[in-house]
Amino acid sequence: MSVAGEQLERVGPIAAWRARLSQQFASGGIAHTLARGAIWSITINVGGYALALVVQVVLTHSLGHVQYGNYAYALAWMNTALLFGKLELDTCALRFVGMYDGAKNWSLLRGFLERSGQLLRVASFVVAGVAAAIVWIISKHLDAGVAASLWAACALLPVTARLELKARTLQAFRKVPESLAPTMLLRPMLFGIGVALATFALGITPTAPAAIGLNLLAAVAASLVIARFLRTAIPIDARIAMPSYETRYWLRTAVGFLVIAGAQLVLGTQMDVVVVGSMLGATDAGLYQVASQLASLVSFGITAIIYTALPMISDLHARGARAALQHLVALLSRAGLVVSLLVASLLALMGPTILGWFGPRFTAAYPVLLVLTTASFIAATVGILAGFLLTLTGHQRQAATLVVGSAILNLALSLLATRAYGAIGTASATAATALLRSGVLALYCWNLLGIRLMPFGGSRR
């Protein structure tokens, strides 16, 4: 037995456990790095979600359930188009910026930063222009409020795309607070202040297009702040290096991410809002949107922690550190289980009261909230981590095949269930598909990586 082991045995099991825990969280270890980043991430995410909840309450009372339905419906379509407007270059930034920065490949790092920005500007403006033209063509068949809201959302799209690319690039440089604060705190705070001033100080009743316009101004301000952070985060060596470009390789990788993201969009609640709004009306879309936003709180904890761990996953896999990667996954699984269970229980017990904050009409969405909470809990405990784990370890093709298949299944079930049972049918289709997808993704992680997605699982040697 080693000297350290003899000392741990002499001091007793409790002291030995405390000593091992201290070693795990010692400076430079995986647990220490994860905990430090996760504390920042969770703190900002908790503040952001709380702030977003307050803003949504103010917004629903300012707009009313009809105008809020138009607002939610337009933003759901914008988020769908945003997928093509940013070409998943923000996800590529997580992979390539972290990889080039770690390898000190300054030439390719500068090349990726320049080319990704150029590609995103072209793609976002083209998608926004095409979307605006489509709205103009079909505007005769839309309510005036819906058409105007969709046009306003088209203007918001390029700004949002640029903001997300910069945030993910900062995340790849391991600047967690700087990447989160402008998007999670500053933007909703400015948006909420604008809506509150217009409604309560100036006595103006805002419309859905006006609210989207205020959202756009808040996004511009957040983008300016995050751009300043990014300039200081880029290493000096990368700024002065001659850029090298691997545009075809970057685009091929982006296409793989785009397929996965497109399928995940279909599986997510944004597409649910589009389905509900198209089949049942914008008012029902607004009710569904509030329920889905509350249900998303279930997965905020694991999302915040994974946000910190993404660069670590790529790094550990690249170095072949299987045991360390399994240890990291176990830590993430434990954290996700605890946080998501607490939030899910709170929503199940207090759901009607919380929905009532948005207005008396929104309490009718409680059954939808319960079903979507179940779907979010399944995703938080298995699905989210499994998807990122496969994507960041070079198995995006296998993940894409599964996610695309489940997306097609989910869309088909949603259309059938919405027509037969209304919004509760849409939510049920989402929950059923989440259960199936999470189980198969977990099996993929075990077969392809030898990693068990369990809180206390061990890796396959």
Side-chain angles (χ1 to χ4, degrees):
M1 182 181 294
S2 65
V3 175
E6 292 176 355
Q7 291 174 346
L8 291 177
E9 187 174 314
R10 284 199 301 268
V11 297
I14 296 178
W17 174 80
R18 292 177 60 185
R20 292 191 185 97
L21 192 64
S22 299
Q23 291 173 2
Q24 276 193 335
F25 284 88
S27 179
I30 290 177
H32 174 267
T33 304
L34 179 63
R36 183 177 59 186
I39 288 172
W40 274 112
S41 184
I42 290 177
T43 300
I44 295 175
N45 270 274
V46 168
Y49 273 104
L51 186 59
L53 181 62
V54 173
V55 171
Q56 290 300 313
V57 171
V58 172
L59 192 61
T60 54
H61 284 280
S62 299
L63 297 180
H65 66 276
V66 175
Q67 285 294 322
Y68 180 78
N70 294 340
Y71 173 86
Y73 185 57
L75 284 193
W77 271 116
M78 188 214 73
N79 287 323
T80 303
L82 181 64
L83 177 70
F84 304 97
K86 58 189 180 73
L87 294 177
E88 281 306 284
L89 289 167
D90 56 335
T91 305
C92 286
L94 278 175
R95 178 172 178 178
F96 292 117
V97 171
M99 183 171 66
Y100 296 148
D101 184 39
K104 302 187 185 306
N105 195 332
W106 309 124
S107 179
L108 281 175
L109 176 58
R110 181 176 177 182
F112 177 82
L113 293 175
E114 291 183 357
R115 189 53 49 85
S116 61
Q118 294 166 358
L119 292 171
L120 182 132
R121 281 193 293 272
V122 173
S124 61
F125 279 105
V126 168
V127 170
V130 171
I134 293 174
V135 174
W136 179 75
I137 293 172
I138 65 173
S139 59
K140 295 181 180 179
H141 306 285
L142 300 173
D143 292 338
V146 173
S149 301
L150 290 171
W151 275 319
C154 291
L156 177 61
L157 189 149
V159 178
T160 304
R162 185 176 178 81
L163 178 61
E164 292 193 7
L165 175 61
K166 291 181 181 298
R168 286 300 182 104
T169 303
L170 266 175
Q171 179 190 354
F173 282 123
R174 293 178 171 83
K175 301 294 183 180
V176 175
E178 294 88 344
S179 66
L180 286 173
T183 55
M184 296 291 295
L185 298 178
L186 180 63
R187 182 181 179 182
M189 181 180 66
L190 293 177
F191 177 46
I193 291 173
V195 173
L197 285 176
T199 305
F200 304 111
L202 302 178
I204 300 173
T205 302
T207 61
I212 295 175
L214 292 173
N215 199 337
L216 188 152
L217 294 176
V220 169
S223 184
L224 292 175
V225 172
I226 212 167
R228 182 178 179 86
F229 287 149
L230 184 57
R231 282 195 296 270
T232 60
I234 299 174
I236 297 177
D237 293 329
R239 298 181 209 170
I240 63 176
M242 289 295 294
S244 297
Y245 304 100
E246 295 183 345
T247 307
R248 291 185 179 180
Y249 174 53
W250 295 333
L251 285 176
R252 285 199 303 269
T253 305
V255 169
F257 289 147
L258 185 64
V259 172
I260 296 175
Q264 289 176 336
L265 181 70
V266 174
L267 293 168
T269 54
Q270 286 297 326
M271 183 55 67
D272 286 357
V273 174
V274 170
V275 170
V276 171
S278 300
M279 299 182 67
L280 304 178
T283 300
D284 287 313
L287 299 180
Y288 196 98
Q289 172 73 3
V290 168
S292 67
Q293 285 186 329
L294 289 175
S296 68
L297 294 174
V298 175
S299 59
F300 93 92
I302 187 62
T303 301
I305 298 171
I306 288 178
Y307 192 90
T308 302
L310 293 181
M312 299 170 63
I313 292 175
S314 297
D315 177 55
L316 292 174
H317 175 71
R319 292 192 283 113
R322 176 74 59 79
L325 181 57
Q326 176 65 77
H327 177 55
L328 174 62
V329 169
L331 289 174
L332 294 171
S333 298
R334 294 169 201 170
L337 179 62
V338 171
V339 176
S340 59
L341 184 59
L342 289 174
V343 179
S345 301
L346 177 64
L347 289 177
L349 294 173
M350 301 291 295
T353 302
I354 298 174
L355 286 169
W357 296 346
F358 297 88
R361 286 289 301 273
F362 289 90
T363 56
Y366 179 63
V368 172
L369 174 62
L370 285 179
V371 177
L372 291 179
T373 297
T374 303
S376 294
F377 180 76
I378 295 169
T381 50
V382 178
I384 295 175
L385 177 57
F388 277 118
L389 191 61
L390 291 173
T391 301
L392 295 177
T393 55
H395 295 90
Q396 62 266 20
R397 181 175 300 177
Q398 292 88 341
T401 301
L402 172 62
V403 174
V404 169
S406 57
I408 295 173
L409 175 63
N410 183 66
L411 183 59
L413 290 176
S414 295
L415 292 173
L416 293 173
T418 303
R419 184 177 299 276
Y421 304 106
I424 192 66
T426 315
S428 299
T430 298
T433 311
L435 177 60
L436 176 63
R437 182 180 72 258
S438 297
V440 179
L441 280 173
L443 289 176
Y444 268 34
C445 289
W446 176 247
N447 291 330
L448 297 174
L449 301 172
I451 299 296
R452 190 186 300 275
L453 286 171
M454 297 293 290
F456 306 99
S459 64
R460 187 174 60 193
R461 298 290 181 184

